C-alpha cells in the first residue's frame, strides 16, 4: 500500500512549464492541494472543472 500520493502540474497537457508538484498522505489531500495550486498559481476556479477535466487529473495522481 502506498504511503503517499503525488501530482505534478507539468504532466497535465498545456502545463508543461509549471513546476508545481504536491505530495500528500491521501488522494483526497492531493485533490485539495491541486485545487489550491490551481487557484493560486493559475487563477483557475476548480468548481468549473468538468467531469472530463477531473477524470484526466485523476489519472495523473500517482502513488509514491
Amino acid at each position: 500500500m502506498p504511503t503517499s500520493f503525488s501530482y505534478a502540474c507539468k504532466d497535465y497537457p498545456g502545463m508543461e512549464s509549471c513546476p508545481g508538484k504536491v505530495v500528500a498522505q491521501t488522494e483526497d489531500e492531493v485533490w485539495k492541494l491541486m485545487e489550491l495550486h490551481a487557484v493560486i498559481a493559475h487563477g483557475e476556479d476548480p468548481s468549473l472543472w468538468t467531469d472530463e477535466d477531473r477524470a484526466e487529473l485523476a489519472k495523473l495522481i500517482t502513488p509514491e
Side-chain angles (χ1 to χ4, degrees):
M1 182 165 182
T3 58
S4 62
F5 295 86
S6 68
Y7 166 80
C9 195
K10 68 179 181 175
D11 294 337
Y12 192 83
M15 296 294 183
E16 293 81 6
S17 65
C18 182
K21 181 176 181 178
V22 298
V23 178
Q25 189 172 7
T26 68
E27 288 185 71
D28 286 340
E29 288 176 292
V30 170
W31 274 105
K32 289 176 182 167
L33 293 169
M34 288 166 57
E35 291 173 350
L36 183 61
H37 170 77
V39 169
I40 293 170
H42 302 293
E44 294 181 16
D45 180 351
S47 70
L48 299 177
W49 292 348
T50 64
D51 290 342
E52 292 81 16
D53 293 333
R54 289 188 177 276
E56 285 303 310
L57 289 165
K59 293 177 189 175
L60 301 176
I61 298 173
T62 57
E64 291 272 309

